[in-house]
Amino acid sequence: MGWFEAGKREERMERIKWIDRSRGLAILLVILGHIIGGLEAGIGGGNENIIRQILYAFHMPLIFAVSGAVSDEERIKQIKGKKECVRYLEKCTVNLYVTYLFFGYLFWAVKYFLYQGNEPVTAQDALRLPFDYSAWIPGWYLLALLVIKWLDFFMIKGMKSSKIRVAVWIFLFLAGNYMPASFLARAFKNGLYFQLGRRWKKGRFENPEIIAGILAVAGVLKYGRGFGYVADFFIAVSLCEMAIMLMIQTENKPAGFLEQMGAYSMAPYVLHAYFTILVKMVLNRLGCQSFPVFVLAEFTAAALFSYLTVFFMKKYPCLRRLFYPL
């Protein structure tokens, strides 16, 4: 569902190329950010790396925005009756939560039995995984998106005014920034980007001059006491709009690659860590201490094997059940 929805209904529809390109770009940025963040600080990696900080300023908001862009508000409005409502929510839950559990436990097993890395896991993490994503950090997105999809459904069914719904999402965004860290807090903070994605799907973008102004104001607010999260929001929105507009105008060879990655984005999202771990283990065994070598080798492997996975998913549709159960 959402960003990951690739069922028969979507296949029958004419694909919107810039949406596929945007989520293809987003998943590549996620992969790059995870690679850099997973490297030792001694060789230039870790959370303090400037490239990682730039990517983390907008790559997840971009993913949530694209999730909103492919979420059909009109279709939700047309759902009638208790049975259809339950079916819709069931599909959301299975496609997100069941997938989260399957790949989360798979990742936990790989780290626990094969390679601990710089973020080791324990046996207790396996027990907490159903409600705590700390054993599989990327999994928070699936849990947060599930919460957003449920809230979005009930708001659309219960509130006719889109302005009221946006106001509620703004309130949740503010609340999420003051809540303890959890997937629920992340859902509240990112639900607003989900709504913005619907706006951008309709072509409602700000012009470049306004974006530049927003970035300037956000840069000032970033250093103001108590306004950091507001500044982060405006920075993310501006960078997301710039990335999407770039994808709208992209028509060269990389566009086709991004469209393929975006059309089947669940696979590279949940699998890329397995590919990069293998490369990292080999380089560590060889005694490599080069930041560029680690990043280039891991990113190439993740992109290549993700693309191969997408190729086989297209060739053998039955494989999609691993990533889209319903």
mmCIF file of all heavy atoms in Angstrom, residues 205-238:
data_model
loop_
_atom_site.group_PDB
_atom_site.id
_atom_site.type_symbol
_atom_site.label_atom_id
_atom_site.label_comp_id
_atom_site.label_asym_id
_atom_site.label_seq_id
_atom_site.Cartn_x
_atom_site.Cartn_y
_atom_site.Cartn_z
ATOM 1 N N PHE A 205 3.066 23.139 -7.041
ATOM 2 C CA PHE A 205 4.407 23.391 -6.537
ATOM 3 C C PHE A 205 4.622 24.890 -6.364
ATOM 4 O O PHE A 205 3.982 25.711 -7.035
ATOM 5 C CB PHE A 205 5.475 22.854 -7.499
ATOM 6 C CG PHE A 205 5.452 21.369 -7.669
ATOM 7 C CD1 PHE A 205 4.779 20.777 -8.723
ATOM 8 C CD2 PHE A 205 6.117 20.551 -6.769
ATOM 9 C CE1 PHE A 205 4.761 19.405 -8.882
ATOM 10 C CE2 PHE A 205 6.105 19.178 -6.913
ATOM 11 C CZ PHE A 205 5.427 18.604 -7.976
ATOM 12 N N GLU A 206 5.540 25.218 -5.457
ATOM 13 C CA GLU A 206 5.949 26.618 -5.321
ATOM 14 C C GLU A 206 6.967 26.941 -6.403
ATOM 15 O O GLU A 206 7.677 26.056 -6.894
ATOM 16 C CB GLU A 206 6.558 26.860 -3.932
ATOM 17 C CG GLU A 206 5.665 26.460 -2.772
ATOM 18 C CD GLU A 206 4.390 27.287 -2.712
ATOM 19 O OE1 GLU A 206 4.337 28.354 -3.326
ATOM 20 O OE2 GLU A 206 3.434 26.836 -2.035
ATOM 21 N N ASN A 207 7.065 28.223 -6.778
ATOM 22 C CA ASN A 207 8.066 28.580 -7.782
ATOM 23 C C ASN A 207 9.452 28.636 -7.144
ATOM 24 O O ASN A 207 9.599 28.731 -5.923
ATOM 25 C CB ASN A 207 7.709 29.910 -8.467
ATOM 26 C CG ASN A 207 7.676 31.072 -7.490
ATOM 27 O OD1 ASN A 207 8.587 31.279 -6.694
ATOM 28 N ND2 ASN A 207 6.606 31.857 -7.549
ATOM 29 N N PRO A 208 10.520 28.565 -7.952
ATOM 30 C CA PRO A 208 11.889 28.515 -7.418
ATOM 31 C C PRO A 208 12.232 29.676 -6.491
ATOM 32 O O PRO A 208 12.988 29.506 -5.532
ATOM 33 C CB PRO A 208 12.750 28.543 -8.688
ATOM 34 C CG PRO A 208 11.880 27.957 -9.748
ATOM 35 C CD PRO A 208 10.488 28.436 -9.418
ATOM 36 N N GLU A 209 11.692 30.886 -6.771
ATOM 37 C CA GLU A 209 12.005 32.026 -5.920
ATOM 38 C C GLU A 209 11.456 31.832 -4.502
ATOM 39 O O GLU A 209 12.119 32.152 -3.514
ATOM 40 C CB GLU A 209 11.420 33.312 -6.525
ATOM 41 C CG GLU A 209 12.090 33.768 -7.819
ATOM 42 C CD GLU A 209 11.644 32.978 -9.031
ATOM 43 O OE1 GLU A 209 10.672 32.182 -8.905
ATOM 44 O OE2 GLU A 209 12.259 33.121 -10.097
ATOM 45 N N ILE A 210 10.241 31.289 -4.413
ATOM 46 C CA ILE A 210 9.648 31.045 -3.096
ATOM 47 C C ILE A 210 10.428 29.965 -2.358
ATOM 48 O O ILE A 210 10.675 30.064 -1.148
ATOM 49 C CB ILE A 210 8.171 30.646 -3.241
ATOM 50 C CG1 ILE A 210 7.352 31.847 -3.752
ATOM 51 C CG2 ILE A 210 7.609 30.162 -1.911
ATOM 52 C CD1 ILE A 210 5.883 31.563 -3.958
ATOM 53 N N ILE A 211 10.838 28.918 -3.091
ATOM 54 C CA ILE A 211 11.623 27.853 -2.465
ATOM 55 C C ILE A 211 12.922 28.411 -1.893
ATOM 56 O O ILE A 211 13.325 28.085 -0.766
ATOM 57 C CB ILE A 211 11.916 26.734 -3.482
ATOM 58 C CG1 ILE A 211 10.620 26.018 -3.859
ATOM 59 C CG2 ILE A 211 12.926 25.735 -2.899
ATOM 60 C CD1 ILE A 211 10.809 24.940 -4.910
ATOM 61 N N ALA A 212 13.588 29.268 -2.675
ATOM 62 C CA ALA A 212 14.838 29.875 -2.199
ATOM 63 C C ALA A 212 14.587 30.721 -0.952
ATOM 64 O O ALA A 212 15.384 30.708 -0.006
ATOM 65 C CB ALA A 212 15.455 30.729 -3.309
ATOM 66 N N GLY A 213 13.465 31.434 -0.936
ATOM 67 C CA GLY A 213 13.132 32.244 0.233
ATOM 68 C C GLY A 213 12.853 31.394 1.460
ATOM 69 O O GLY A 213 13.287 31.727 2.569
ATOM 70 N N ILE A 214 12.126 30.301 1.256
ATOM 71 C CA ILE A 214 11.826 29.395 2.360
ATOM 72 C C ILE A 214 13.109 28.810 2.939
ATOM 73 O O ILE A 214 13.287 28.722 4.159
ATOM 74 C CB ILE A 214 10.887 28.262 1.893
ATOM 75 C CG1 ILE A 214 9.497 28.825 1.582
ATOM 76 C CG2 ILE A 214 10.786 27.166 2.955
ATOM 77 C CD1 ILE A 214 8.547 27.802 0.980
ATOM 78 N N LEU A 215 14.039 28.428 2.058
ATOM 79 C CA LEU A 215 15.308 27.877 2.526
ATOM 80 C C LEU A 215 16.087 28.905 3.332
ATOM 81 O O LEU A 215 16.716 28.580 4.348
ATOM 82 C CB LEU A 215 16.150 27.406 1.336
ATOM 83 C CG LEU A 215 15.790 26.041 0.752
ATOM 84 C CD1 LEU A 215 16.558 25.783 -0.530
ATOM 85 C CD2 LEU A 215 16.070 24.940 1.756
ATOM 86 N N ALA A 216 16.044 30.154 2.888
ATOM 87 C CA ALA A 216 16.764 31.216 3.602
ATOM 88 C C ALA A 216 16.178 31.423 5.001
ATOM 89 O O ALA A 216 16.908 31.515 5.996
ATOM 90 C CB ALA A 216 16.714 32.513 2.803
ATOM 91 N N VAL A 217 14.845 31.510 5.073
ATOM 92 C CA VAL A 217 14.184 31.694 6.372
ATOM 93 C C VAL A 217 14.432 30.489 7.273
ATOM 94 O O VAL A 217 14.726 30.628 8.464
ATOM 95 C CB VAL A 217 12.670 31.916 6.180
ATOM 96 C CG1 VAL A 217 11.962 31.934 7.529
ATOM 97 C CG2 VAL A 217 12.418 33.218 5.427
ATOM 98 N N ALA A 218 14.352 29.279 6.687
ATOM 99 C CA ALA A 218 14.577 28.066 7.472
ATOM 100 C C ALA A 218 15.992 28.018 8.008
ATOM 101 O O ALA A 218 16.236 27.556 9.127
ATOM 102 C CB ALA A 218 14.287 26.833 6.621
ATOM 103 N N GLY A 219 16.946 28.499 7.208
ATOM 104 C CA GLY A 219 18.328 28.531 7.662
ATOM 105 C C GLY A 219 18.511 29.407 8.888
ATOM 106 O O GLY A 219 19.298 29.095 9.788
ATOM 107 N N VAL A 220 17.758 30.516 8.950
ATOM 108 C CA VAL A 220 17.816 31.406 10.118
ATOM 109 C C VAL A 220 17.134 30.747 11.312
ATOM 110 O O VAL A 220 17.654 30.748 12.437
ATOM 111 C CB VAL A 220 17.152 32.765 9.800
ATOM 112 C CG1 VAL A 220 17.094 33.620 11.058
ATOM 113 C CG2 VAL A 220 17.922 33.485 8.695
ATOM 114 N N LEU A 221 15.949 30.167 11.079
ATOM 115 C CA LEU A 221 15.215 29.516 12.154
ATOM 116 C C LEU A 221 15.972 28.334 12.743
ATOM 117 O O LEU A 221 15.831 28.017 13.920
ATOM 118 C CB LEU A 221 13.850 29.032 11.646
ATOM 119 C CG LEU A 221 12.800 30.101 11.330
ATOM 120 C CD1 LEU A 221 11.559 29.447 10.747
ATOM 121 C CD2 LEU A 221 12.438 30.896 12.572
ATOM 122 N N LYS A 222 16.784 27.693 11.917
ATOM 123 C CA LYS A 222 17.515 26.517 12.358
ATOM 124 C C LYS A 222 18.362 26.818 13.591
ATOM 125 O O LYS A 222 18.574 25.951 14.439
ATOM 126 C CB LYS A 222 18.408 26.009 11.221
ATOM 127 C CG LYS A 222 19.203 24.759 11.539
ATOM 128 C CD LYS A 222 18.304 23.558 11.682
ATOM 129 C CE LYS A 222 19.127 22.281 11.897
ATOM 130 N NZ LYS A 222 18.273 21.119 12.138
ATOM 131 N N TYR A 223 18.824 28.057 13.691
ATOM 132 C CA TYR A 223 19.689 28.420 14.806
ATOM 133 C C TYR A 223 18.943 29.227 15.875
ATOM 134 O O TYR A 223 19.544 29.749 16.793
ATOM 135 C CB TYR A 223 20.889 29.213 14.290
ATOM 136 C CG TYR A 223 21.740 28.402 13.353
ATOM 137 C CD1 TYR A 223 21.584 28.518 11.969
ATOM 138 C CD2 TYR A 223 22.656 27.479 13.843
ATOM 139 C CE1 TYR A 223 22.346 27.752 11.108
ATOM 140 C CE2 TYR A 223 23.415 26.708 12.981
ATOM 141 C CZ TYR A 223 23.266 26.854 11.612
ATOM 142 O OH TYR A 223 24.006 26.080 10.747
ATOM 143 N N GLY A 224 17.622 29.296 15.721
ATOM 144 C CA GLY A 224 16.828 29.971 16.735
ATOM 145 C C GLY A 224 16.356 29.004 17.788
ATOM 146 O O GLY A 224 16.028 27.854 17.496
ATOM 147 N N ARG A 225 16.303 29.436 19.002
ATOM 148 C CA ARG A 225 15.934 28.558 20.106
ATOM 149 C C ARG A 225 14.480 28.088 19.962
ATOM 150 O O ARG A 225 13.562 28.872 19.851
ATOM 151 C CB ARG A 225 16.114 29.299 21.428
ATOM 152 C CG ARG A 225 15.793 28.454 22.656
ATOM 153 C CD ARG A 225 16.109 29.197 23.927
ATOM 154 N NE ARG A 225 17.526 29.544 23.998
ATOM 155 C CZ ARG A 225 18.060 30.253 25.012
ATOM 156 N NH1 ARG A 225 17.281 30.687 25.993
ATOM 157 N NH2 ARG A 225 19.345 30.518 25.005
ATOM 158 N N GLY A 226 14.302 26.769 19.970
ATOM 159 C CA GLY A 226 12.959 26.197 19.946
ATOM 160 C C GLY A 226 12.334 26.060 18.574
ATOM 161 O O GLY A 226 11.232 25.568 18.449
ATOM 162 N N PHE A 227 13.041 26.513 17.509
ATOM 163 C CA PHE A 227 12.446 26.462 16.175
ATOM 164 C C PHE A 227 13.150 25.463 15.258
ATOM 165 O O PHE A 227 12.901 25.452 14.059
ATOM 166 C CB PHE A 227 12.485 27.847 15.524
ATOM 167 C CG PHE A 227 11.584 28.848 16.172
ATOM 168 C CD1 PHE A 227 12.101 29.810 17.018
ATOM 169 C CD2 PHE A 227 10.216 28.823 15.950
ATOM 170 C CE1 PHE A 227 11.275 30.744 17.626
ATOM 171 C CE2 PHE A 227 9.384 29.744 16.552
ATOM 172 C CZ PHE A 227 9.913 30.709 17.395
ATOM 173 N N GLY A 228 14.011 24.631 15.814
ATOM 174 C CA GLY A 228 14.782 23.717 14.984
ATOM 175 C C GLY A 228 13.927 22.791 14.144
ATOM 176 O O GLY A 228 14.172 22.626 12.943
ATOM 177 N N TYR A 229 12.895 22.188 14.737
ATOM 178 C CA TYR A 229 12.079 21.228 13.994
ATOM 179 C C TYR A 229 11.241 21.919 12.920
ATOM 180 O O TYR A 229 10.930 21.331 11.892
ATOM 181 C CB TYR A 229 11.199 20.416 14.944
ATOM 182 C CG TYR A 229 10.121 21.186 15.654
ATOM 183 C CD1 TYR A 229 8.856 21.320 15.097
ATOM 184 C CD2 TYR A 229 10.363 21.797 16.889
ATOM 185 C CE1 TYR A 229 7.861 22.026 15.744
ATOM 186 C CE2 TYR A 229 9.374 22.497 17.535
ATOM 187 C CZ TYR A 229 8.134 22.610 16.969
ATOM 188 O OH TYR A 229 7.152 23.322 17.612
ATOM 189 N N VAL A 230 10.860 23.180 13.159
ATOM 190 C CA VAL A 230 10.127 23.939 12.137
ATOM 191 C C VAL A 230 11.043 24.227 10.953
ATOM 192 O O VAL A 230 10.649 24.086 9.791
ATOM 193 C CB VAL A 230 9.574 25.250 12.726
ATOM 194 C CG1 VAL A 230 8.874 26.063 11.639
ATOM 195 C CG2 VAL A 230 8.621 24.971 13.870
ATOM 196 N N ALA A 231 12.271 24.615 11.253
ATOM 197 C CA ALA A 231 13.238 24.856 10.192
ATOM 198 C C ALA A 231 13.505 23.584 9.401
ATOM 199 O O ALA A 231 13.571 23.608 8.163
ATOM 200 C CB ALA A 231 14.541 25.387 10.795
ATOM 201 N N ASP A 232 13.643 22.469 10.107
ATOM 202 C CA ASP A 232 13.873 21.190 9.438
ATOM 203 C C ASP A 232 12.723 20.863 8.482
ATOM 204 O O ASP A 232 12.952 20.343 7.383
ATOM 205 C CB ASP A 232 14.003 20.068 10.471
ATOM 206 C CG ASP A 232 15.292 20.169 11.272
ATOM 207 O OD1 ASP A 232 16.224 20.831 10.803
ATOM 208 O OD2 ASP A 232 15.355 19.583 12.373
ATOM 209 N N PHE A 233 11.505 21.186 8.888
ATOM 210 C CA PHE A 233 10.341 20.913 8.040
ATOM 211 C C PHE A 233 10.418 21.721 6.744
ATOM 212 O O PHE A 233 10.244 21.172 5.649
ATOM 213 C CB PHE A 233 9.049 21.247 8.788
ATOM 214 C CG PHE A 233 7.817 21.178 7.934
ATOM 215 C CD1 PHE A 233 7.258 19.959 7.589
ATOM 216 C CD2 PHE A 233 7.230 22.339 7.449
ATOM 217 C CE1 PHE A 233 6.129 19.893 6.787
ATOM 218 C CE2 PHE A 233 6.104 22.282 6.649
ATOM 219 C CZ PHE A 233 5.545 21.056 6.316
ATOM 220 N N PHE A 234 10.692 23.007 6.848
ATOM 221 C CA PHE A 234 10.741 23.846 5.653
ATOM 222 C C PHE A 234 11.915 23.480 4.752
ATOM 223 O O PHE A 234 11.809 23.524 3.521
ATOM 224 C CB PHE A 234 10.809 25.315 6.045
ATOM 225 C CG PHE A 234 9.504 25.872 6.556
ATOM 226 C CD1 PHE A 234 9.398 26.363 7.838
ATOM 227 C CD2 PHE A 234 8.375 25.880 5.756
ATOM 228 C CE1 PHE A 234 8.200 26.863 8.318
ATOM 229 C CE2 PHE A 234 7.166 26.380 6.214
ATOM 230 C CZ PHE A 234 7.077 26.871 7.504
ATOM 231 N N ILE A 235 13.026 23.100 5.359
ATOM 232 C CA ILE A 235 14.169 22.656 4.562
ATOM 233 C C ILE A 235 13.806 21.386 3.801
ATOM 234 O O ILE A 235 14.080 21.256 2.602
ATOM 235 C CB ILE A 235 15.396 22.416 5.463
ATOM 236 C CG1 ILE A 235 15.930 23.756 5.997
ATOM 237 C CG2 ILE A 235 16.501 21.673 4.699
ATOM 238 C CD1 ILE A 235 17.014 23.614 7.043
ATOM 239 N N ALA A 236 13.172 20.438 4.495
ATOM 240 C CA ALA A 236 12.786 19.182 3.859
ATOM 241 C C ALA A 236 11.790 19.410 2.729
ATOM 242 O O ALA A 236 11.931 18.837 1.642
ATOM 243 C CB ALA A 236 12.191 18.230 4.896
ATOM 244 N N VAL A 237 10.786 20.258 2.983
ATOM 245 C CA VAL A 237 9.779 20.531 1.955
ATOM 246 C C VAL A 237 10.430 21.147 0.717
ATOM 247 O O VAL A 237 10.139 20.759 -0.415
ATOM 248 C CB VAL A 237 8.687 21.475 2.507
ATOM 249 C CG1 VAL A 237 7.795 21.979 1.375
ATOM 250 C CG2 VAL A 237 7.840 20.748 3.545
ATOM 251 N N SER A 238 11.314 22.100 0.924
ATOM 252 C CA SER A 238 11.967 22.774 -0.199
ATOM 253 C C SER A 238 12.824 21.808 -1.005
ATOM 254 O O SER A 238 12.762 21.777 -2.245
ATOM 255 C CB SER A 238 12.836 23.925 0.316
ATOM 256 O OG SER A 238 12.058 24.850 1.050
#
